[in-house]
Amino acid sequence: MAFEPFLAYEASAGSGKTFNLVVRYLSLLFMGEDPRSIVALTFTNKAANEMLERMIVTLEHLHERGELAAIAQVCEMSPEEILSRRSEVLRRFLRSDIQISTIDKFFGRILRKFALNAGIMPTFKTTQNHHEVKLLERFLNEVEVAGASDALVHLSRLSDKRLSDLFLLLSQLYSKHKELDLDGYAGVNVVEEAIEEAMAAAAELKTLVLGKGLSDTANRAIEAESFELLLKKTWLYQPSLNYWVFKKGFEPRMDEVLARIQAAVKRHFRRREGLYFKELFTVLKLYIKSRKVMAVQNNELSFDDITLMVHTLLREKLESEFLYFRLDSHLKHLLLDEFQDTSVLQFDILRPLIEEIRSGIGVNEGGSFFFVGDVKQSIYRFRGGVSALFHQVAEYFNVHIEPLRVNYRSRSTIVEFVNRAFGGKIAGYTPQMSPEKLSGGYVAVAMSDDLLETLSRTVASLIDQGVQPEEIAVLTVTNKDGSAVEEHLSLQGYDVVTETTARLVSQHSVRAVIEYLRYCYFDVPIYRFNCAALIGLSPDQIERHILADPVEGAIAFIRRYEIADKSVLMFVEALRGYRDLEEVVFEIDRLEASSPQSDLRGIRIMTVHKSKGLEFEHVIVLDQLGKPRAHNDPIVYEYEGAQLQRLYYRIKDREVLDSLYAEALAKEKKASAEDRLNALYVALTRAVESLWVITKEKSSWFAPLELTPAEWGRLEKKEAKAKSEEIQRPLIYRARRFGRQEESVSAPKEATHDYAAVQFGLALHYTLEMMGSFTEEAMGRALESARNRYGAVLHPGAMEEIASRVLSLIQDPTFASLCAGEWRKEQMIRYQGSINVIDLLVRHGDEWVIIDYKSGREEEQKHREQVGRYVEAIAALSGQKASGYLCYLLPGGVEWVKCL
DNA sequence: CTAAGAATATTTTTT
DNA sequence: ATATTCTTAG
């Protein structure tokens, strides 16, 4: 198929989505497009890393890859022609600023570029948890100043919620607020006549019923002393009183009065809704203001903040056309992965870019737009993902959608099982096909009262069959279940790798220490109770101390109650970074560190959501250990496609009285049911060889699928294959084994606060990267190239400074001796889930030397850690000796630091 | 056997 | 908020 500029793939699970993305991207390169003009966006760092890795691997081994033929076809060239240009394309690709990232990072980059237009500093940090306490303080302050305290109190009373719940709701609405009409309820009046009318009618009904001389039960039931009690009556929500104990004395007039009560109650609910939103939006506006002020003050933004700011900047400000123009000049091809998870806001930001591409004018001549996704795998509605966008956008831009129907991942038995399970359940489900060479496979559905017990039996039988632990993945519904599974399997002596999001501060033992520290600081009993509950003691066993130093206090506490474990020890280390106890108690919840990994190898445990986009040889999907949670959201959002239509205030039983509300509620229920089905689809399509479903009888997560215990196919016993070959290939670092470990230990961010210094460092690196050899002649050419690229953003004299520092490097005797060997620049390695780039890797016989250039010594400790990790990775991968050096290119000359 | 009403248990997914 | 269980009256 020749190149189609506007194209989308509807890619079911395992149908080669990444393959097609890679083919698309590489085809553009082979057609001569500049890598800098191609932007490929995904939703997770994992996916972005994998895509990048896949591109490099494909380019490196193009002659033996399936992508070759596909690329040749798209480019309308012969495979030989493609191969002849391979090394040139690879070089060009690696040397450019590759724009493969998550959509959030992409927006982050845009915001950094235009930060000053948005009124913030380009050096802003991104954070997941903002200063809760400070924000609350600021918000309450705003509320008071605006004279909205009454609204806040009223809201709390109206919804019978605590302030903290309200605060949570506000932060949810914050990310959605651009879709809302914040002034839409301003004119709601406060007068309430409906209650009186309902009560009057209720009294009338009461006399009517009492006059019939019915049973005590009937007489008691009809009595409603107050409006609140009236709302609790079951008969209020019945279509007629011609039932139960009222049946005996029923006459049609009773239903007429009942209808009047119901109409009045319905009006009351409407009024309550209007009032609620009026107050809520008044307060929300103040919340939004507080968030903005906090963001600017702390120079710290969340993902939501970034998206909202970029949206304001590009879609609402006057100069937005100019800004888009500046963006556009670099962007010609847009590739979007997992499109079904895009939010309305995200797409609204991208839309003008796509429109610009479609116009085909100027630099955009020959531009393209490509997206892949699968609405069946849309599981992020709760985060703003709107799957309806997929078809809506395709229609709007007149994009041809190509379905990918063949499953190249799972064995046929699994594919058939999935087809059976979801056919007729997911609307418009088309069965997947299975290629002949993938016949076989095994599926088992087991029903059990003791899920964990059945799980360990299943694991044991797999291991018995010769399956390696790292080929098994256990998928759970919740993170909590994941922890339970981890504990259970560890106790049985299995090695496990958890990838559930386990923040250090949410570990049991760590929580106990935090509650203790808070108790010491605040002297409020609640912390004492919390702490005691966490370590299983009675509150009077917890003593309060005046703590001079939180670290010492924590250690003493841990010793006294013997709660030391890996997490707590790591936490104590983290505590050392805090100034004093006060800082700890207020800031500790923002600590982003993850709890330490159990082991590097073993059975993988993760949530279904985390497993999206991954595949495993043997998958065990475990039913929910607890009961499913009912939704708690006080607001019902009514969507029509991707368009938010209306909000409703959730009131129990309101649907019986209010048909519009009932409709919205039904839509919401349907959407939730779809979410569940989609999550199930994701869960059951991760397996390659065998799939094991462990369900329970009551309140099962699998209930919508109506599964019954059975098994299909046969589990083939495999001879253990030698796994060492991958490691022995020199100079190809596909660190599969290390790559398994996802990003729980993420590389420390380089916290640099000086924008000019960052640019200077980048230019310096770029110069070194561009040098084909370490000679003065090569340096001249590299400097030229760096000047073209960074000249405009650097301060005067910076290029000369770079020249002098690089010159002292190539004249440095230590450098000359370290480089005397086979060397590689910009060597990418995948280590612990993130891709790292080693500036210079030199091989001296059977020893390796790692050199990392730095332009300043301010963060030497971090640099040492970073190089230390490279050394560890290279040593582990090659099985040979490795040493690392930090090469500081300082104004006064080169300084070396050896890292172990 | 039926329905109301009280009491009780349980309670996500994440860039 | 919701599902389940139990008690009670008819």
Side-chain angles (χ1 to χ4, degrees):
Chain A
M1 178 183 16
F3 184 75
E4 243 184 280
F6 277 65
L7 180 64
Y9 281 120
E10 171 129 50
S12 295
S15 61
K17 192 187 62 175
T18 313
F19 178 94
N20 283 293
L21 262 165
V22 168
V23 165
R24 178 80 176 192
Y25 192 104
L26 294 182
S27 295
L28 287 169
L29 292 184
F30 279 105
M31 289 189 297
E33 294 299 314
D34 186 342
R36 279 171 303 178
S37 73
I38 311 172
V39 170
L41 302 179
T42 67
F43 274 84
T44 65
N45 289 313
K46 192 156 41 186
N49 284 345
E50 263 173 23
M51 206 199 295
L52 179 56
E53 188 190 52
R54 183 86 176 255
M55 305 256 196
I56 295 167
V57 172
T58 304
L59 273 175
E60 277 177 344
H61 304 273
L62 195 57
H63 60 282
E64 57 185 37
R65 308 272 313 190
E67 285 92 343
L68 177 59
I71 292 170
Q73 211 173 22
V74 174
C75 298
E76 297 182 271
M77 293 181 206
S78 70
E80 292 72 30
E81 204 175 342
I82 299 283
L83 280 175
S84 72
R85 302 174 58 177
R86 185 194 69 95
S87 60
E88 181 260 329
V89 165
L90 176 61
R91 204 173 329 119
R92 198 152 45 91
F93 177 61
L94 287 180
R95 283 189 180 180
S96 334
D97 185 10
I98 300 165
Q99 305 211 58
I100 299 175
S101 73
T102 63
I103 195 161
D104 286 309
K105 283 218 176 97
F106 178 65
F107 288 159
R109 271 214 307 278
I110 294 178
L111 190 58
R112 237 174 258 282
K113 201 166 180 173
F114 303 135
L116 298 175
N117 301 63
I120 53 157
M121 296 298 293
T123 52
F124 66 82
K125 285 195 287 184
T126 54
T127 173
Q128 277 166 32
N129 325 300
H130 37 255
H131 294 258
E132 283 286 341
V133 182
K134 278 197 209 166
L135 178 63
L136 183 60
E137 223 170 87
R138 171 84 208 191
F139 167 66
L140 292 176
N141 203 321
E142 292 280 352
V143 168
E144 202 176 323
V145 170
S149 303
D150 286 350
L152 194 61
V153 172
H154 192 197
L155 262 180
S156 286
R157 233 169 17 132
L158 205 60
S159 52
D160 200 19
K161 287 265 160 66
R162 278 169 310 175
L163 185 62
S164 61
D165 296 325
L166 188 61
F167 208 55
L168 193 73
L169 177 64
L170 287 172
S171 72
Q172 282 165 16
L173 284 174
Y174 173 72
S175 51
K176 254 187 162 48
H177 79 259
K178 299 226 171 183
E179 293 171 62
L180 308 171
D181 175 14
L182 294 185
D183 296 314
Y185 293 87
V188 171
N189 77 56
V190 203
V191 189
E192 178 66 273
E193 40 68 48
I195 293 181
E196 282 157 34
E197 193 179 327
M199 288 309 283
E204 196 181 327
L205 186 64
K206 183 181 157 192
T207 22
L208 208 57
V209 170
L210 287 182
K212 299 287 173 191
L214 293 171
S215 67
D216 286 356
T217 311
N219 292 342
R220 231 177 299 128
I222 207 70
E223 170 84 48
E225 280 173 349
S226 67
F227 187 63
E228 283 67 39
L229 291 174
L230 174 68
L231 292 183
K232 287 200 176 121
K233 295 294 171 189
T234 310
W235 52 259
L236 178 61
Y237 306 100
Q238 297 295 329
S240 162
L241 276 183
N242 190 8
Y243 82 116
W244 191 42
V245 290
F246 305 115
K247 204 157 46 185
K248 278 187 181 165
F250 177 75
E251 59 169 299
R253 202 146 58 90
M254 289 182 188
D255 276 359
E256 280 165 35
V257 185
L258 174 65
R260 261 169 44 220
I261 304 176
Q262 289 175 333
V265 171
K266 174 183 165 181
R267 262 184 292 132
H268 165 75
F269 284 163
R270 284 262 166 106
R271 174 115 346 120
R272 198 151 110 188
E273 174 180 275
L275 209 58
Y276 176 78
F277 284 125
K278 180 184 179 179
E279 312 274 40
L280 185 65
F281 287 176
T282 309
V283 170
L284 178 61
K285 282 187 211 160
L286 298 170
Y287 179 85
I288 294 167
K289 192 175 162 200
S290 317
R291 278 286 288 258
K292 282 185 181 152
V293 172
M294 293 294 291
V296 173
Q297 255 178 22
N298 299 321
N299 204 24
E300 199 176 87
L301 276 66
S302 70
F303 291 118
D304 280 343
D305 292 331
I306 292 174
T307 309
L308 287 166
M309 276 192 167
V310 171
H311 189 268
T312 311
L313 191 66
L314 293 182
R315 299 308 310 263
E316 288 165 22
K317 293 227 170 152
L318 282 175
E319 71 264 42
S320 64
E321 256 179 64
F322 167 69
L323 298 180
Y324 265 112
F325 175 74
R326 279 181 58 193
L327 270 182
D328 252 349
S329 51
H330 291 292
L331 198 160
K332 193 168 156 193
H333 305 282
L334 187 60
L335 287 78
L336 300 177
D337 188 13
E338 304 279 15
F339 191 74
Q340 76 283 353
D341 289 334
T342 313
S343 76
V344 173
L345 211 56
Q346 286 170 332
F347 185 73
D348 206 37
I349 294 170
L350 295 175
R351 182 197 295 270
L353 293 170
I354 301 165
E355 269 164 4
E356 199 61 37
I357 288 171
R358 192 175 57 166
S359 75
I361 302 164
V363 287
N364 285 301
E365 201 184 325
S368 71
F369 173 48
F370 175 76
F371 61 93
V372 284
D374 180 9
V375 287
K376 294 194 294 303
Q377 293 183 68
S378 140
I379 52 175
Y380 286 119
R381 197 171 57 96
F382 68 92
R383 211 177 62 189
V386 184
S387 62
L389 273 176
F390 192 92
H391 292 285
Q392 215 163 295
V393 166
E395 200 171 320
Y396 182 82
F397 286 106
N398 202 12
V399 179
H400 168 218
I401 298 181
E402 182 79 21
L404 301 174
R405 292 224 179 86
V406 182
N407 186 321
Y408 298 100
R409 171 185 296 152
S410 311
R411 295 273 178 179
S412 61
T413 308
I414 299 173
V415 174
E416 284 156 19
F417 169 73
V418 170
N419 285 340
R420 268 195 312 276
F422 292 97
K425 294 286 193 321
I426 291 181
Y429 182 87
T430 35
Q432 279 197 296
M433 292 176 286
S434 190
E436 211 159 293
K437 58 177 184 182
L438 286 178
S439 65
Y442 178 79
V443 178
V445 176
M447 199 171 272
S448 157
D449 288 336
D450 191 343
L451 295 173
L452 290 176
E453 182 47 38
T454 311
L455 171 68
S456 37
R457 273 211 310 278
T458 308
V459 169
S461 81
L462 273 168
I463 302 273
D464 264 2
Q465 298 282 315
V467 170
Q468 298 294 312
E470 38 284 334
E471 294 175 326
I472 304 173
V474 180
L475 307 187
T476 61
V477 182
T478 67
N479 282 307
K480 207 175 143 201
D481 289 358
S483 305
V485 169
E486 178 193 11
E487 203 184 313
H488 189 77
L489 290 181
S490 302
L491 277 176
Q492 316 257 319
Y494 295 107
D495 288 335
V496 291
V497 181
T498 47
E499 296 181 38
T500 49
T501 30
R503 286 213 305 151
L504 189 58
V505 291
S506 54
Q507 297 308 295
H508 239 70
S509 46
V510 174
R511 230 25 284 166
V513 178
I514 293 173
E515 296 295 334
Y516 167 70
L517 294 176
R518 291 214 163 118
Y519 177 49
C520 294
Y521 180 84
F522 294 107
D523 194 13
V524 176
I526 180 72
Y527 298 115
R528 180 191 204 175
F529 285 101
N530 289 343
C531 176
L534 282 161
I535 52 181
L537 295 174
S538 75
D540 51 338
Q541 286 174 278
I542 308 290
E543 275 175 65
R544 182 168 172 267
H545 300 87
I546 306 297
L547 298 183
D549 175 20
V551 178
E552 277 170 28
I555 292 175
F557 177 79
I558 293 162
R559 289 230 175 95
R560 191 170 328 123
Y561 299 101
E562 296 174 350
I563 55 164
D565 61 21
K566 278 190 205 167
S567 299
V568 152
L569 297 179
M570 190 170 162
F571 176 67
V572 170
E573 282 315 301
L575 278 182
R576 296 187 198 278
Y578 290 79
R579 203 174 49 234
D580 51 26
L581 182 59
E582 184 175 70
E583 196 182 34
V584 171
V585 297
F586 283 107
E587 295 292 323
I588 199 66
D589 284 324
R590 307 177 69 235
L591 183 68
E592 283 178 29
S594 300
S595 80
Q597 293 296 313
S598 348
D599 273 295
L600 288 176
R601 305 188 56 178
I603 301 165
R604 299 176 51 153
I605 302 168
M606 68 183 81
T607 60
V608 171
H609 280 76
K610 271 250 156 121
S611 77
K612 186 166 172 211
L614 304 178
E615 63 178 46
F616 316 92
E617 291 295 308
H618 307 278
V619 173
I620 305 170
V621 191
L622 193 69
D623 212 325
Q624 203 164 7
L625 292 177
K627 279 192 173 174
R629 186 190 195 269
H631 44 246
N632 234 349
D633 198 337
I635 297 173
V636 180
Y637 302 87
E638 186 181 27
Y639 273 89
E640 189 66 54
Q643 193 66 41
L644 181 59
Q645 296 291 310
R646 223 195 120 157
L647 302 184
Y648 290 90
Y649 183 39
R650 192 190 297 272
I651 304 169
K652 198 169 166 350
D653 293 327
R654 181 181 169 191
E655 64 275 20
V656 181
L657 309 178
D658 191 332
S659 62
L660 282 179
Y661 172 80
E663 230 170 85
L665 197 66
K667 265 195 213 173
E668 158 78 32
K669 279 232 167 77
K670 195 172 158 235
S672 293
E674 269 169 25
D675 287 349
R676 163 85 71 95
L677 268 175
N678 292 345
L680 280 163
Y681 180 76
V682 168
L684 300 190
T685 51
R686 299 303 102 197
V688 176
E689 281 293 330
S690 76
L691 170 68
W692 309 71
V693 179
I694 304 178
T695 72
K696 56 183 176 183
E697 209 150 354
K698 278 185 181 172
S699 57
S700 166
W701 189 62
F702 299 97
L705 296 184
E706 300 167 274
L707 299 175
T708 42
E711 62 173 337
W712 297 267
R714 205 164 54 83
L715 184 62
E716 281 157 50
K717 202 162 186 164
K718 273 194 315 186
E719 70 276 27
K721 55 179 177 193
K723 301 189 116 198
S724 50
E725 53 179 86
E726 229 164 83
I727 293 168
Q728 281 160 5
R729 248 178 292 162
L731 288 174
I732 298 165
Y733 304 98
R734 267 183 295 146
R736 282 280 159 72
R737 291 199 173 172
F738 289 90
R740 279 278 156 91
Q741 200 55 29
E742 300 310 331
E743 296 152 291
S744 41
V745 188
S746 59
K749 283 167 209 145
E750 304 251 343
T752 313
H753 303 289
D754 184 347
Y755 186 64
V758 171
Q759 293 299 323
F760 181 84
L762 286 176
L764 180 61
H765 264 90
Y766 184 76
T767 309
L768 288 162
E769 184 192 333
M770 286 296 114
M771 287 168 65
S773 62
F774 297 109
T775 60
E776 274 188 57
E777 194 197 351
M779 182 181 95
R781 280 196 302 270
L783 280 171
E784 195 50 46
S785 162
R787 190 187 314 269
N788 288 337
R789 185 147 170 203
Y790 289 94
V793 291
L794 292 175
H795 54 82
M799 284 312 301
E800 288 70 23
E801 180 62 36
I802 289 173
S804 109
R805 294 198 196 183
V806 173
L807 190 63
S808 47
L809 175 72
I810 58 183
Q811 290 170 348
D812 186 80
T814 315
F815 184 64
S817 74
L818 285 175
C819 281
E822 184 190 343
W823 51 261
R824 273 207 165 198
K825 283 183 186 168
E826 302 289 310
Q827 179 61 55
M828 293 205 186
I829 57 161
R830 225 182 137 196
Y831 184 55
Q832 298 195 335
S834 57
I835 289 196
N836 293 297
V837 182
I838 295 178
D839 288 341
L840 188 61
L841 179 67
V842 193
R843 180 178 196 161
H844 295 264
D846 54 3
E847 277 187 40
W848 300 89
V849 170
I850 293 149
I851 297 172
D852 215 54
Y853 311 121
K854 297 288 173 198
S855 53
R857 226 169 159 153
E858 293 77 22
E859 307 205 49
E860 188 172 325
Q861 191 48 40
K862 278 191 181 162
H863 297 158
R864 279 165 174 273
E865 284 166 21
Q866 185 190 358
V867 174
R869 277 200 312 280
Y870 297 163
V871 172
E872 199 184 320
I874 292 292
L877 283 169
S878 62
Q880 295 169 336
K881 222 182 138 205
S883 48
Y885 296 86
L886 275 166
C887 175
Y888 284 106
L889 301 162
L890 304 176
V894 183
E895 288 178 29
W896 293 90
V897 175
K898 185 160 192 220
C899 309
L900 297 169

